[in-house]
Amino acid sequence: FEQMQQAHMVTRKKRRIQISPGVPPQWVTATPDLLQQSNDLHSFYKEVTDDKIWDSLRYILQNTGHSWDQAKDCSCMRRAEVKSVHR
């Protein structure tokens, strides 16, 4: 992994490792961190500051399920407050 290459087992042909996670740009983790072979996970827990994501989470928490129905336990989610978001 240090050379960021992989080799075909039969032909021995080498190619560069490319990672395409398919996530928003601010969520991209450096390739060496994705390929690490240790238990150090600090680089995987980044705080998300994108307002669109925060607004979406607030909406899901406060407006879905039975949030409108006072008779249901779910109604307490109307007052839910997002304090931090990490990926």
Side-chain angles (χ1 to χ4, degrees):
F1 287 116
E2 289 179 18
Q3 295 177 357
M4 296 300 294
Q5 294 181 345
Q6 76 182 69
H8 190 279
M9 296 298 286
V10 176
T11 64
R12 299 285 184 217
K13 184 175 180 176
K14 292 182 181 178
R15 70 178 182 126
R16 206 173 146 263
I17 294 173
Q18 297 179 356
I19 296 176
S20 178
V23 296
Q26 67 269 26
W27 285 24
V28 174
T29 301
T31 302
D33 288 338
L34 292 173
L35 297 174
Q36 72 175 339
Q37 295 182 339
S38 72
N39 292 326
D40 182 12
L41 301 176
H42 76 279
S43 64
F44 291 97
Y45 296 101
K46 302 285 187 189
E47 188 164 6
V48 175
T49 58
D50 186 329
D51 288 337
K52 186 175 179 180
I53 292 173
W54 276 66
D55 292 342
S56 296
L57 286 172
R58 279 191 202 100
Y59 179 82
I60 290 168
L61 288 171
Q62 297 172 353
N63 298 297
T64 60
H66 300 279
S67 62
W68 52 269
D69 187 351
Q70 292 290 327
K72 304 279 185 189
D73 289 339
C74 305
S75 68
C76 71
M77 294 307 289
R78 273 192 340 225
R79 296 179 305 278
E81 183 179 331
V82 178
K83 300 214 179 211
S84 68
V85 178
H86 292 78
R87 61 162 175 87

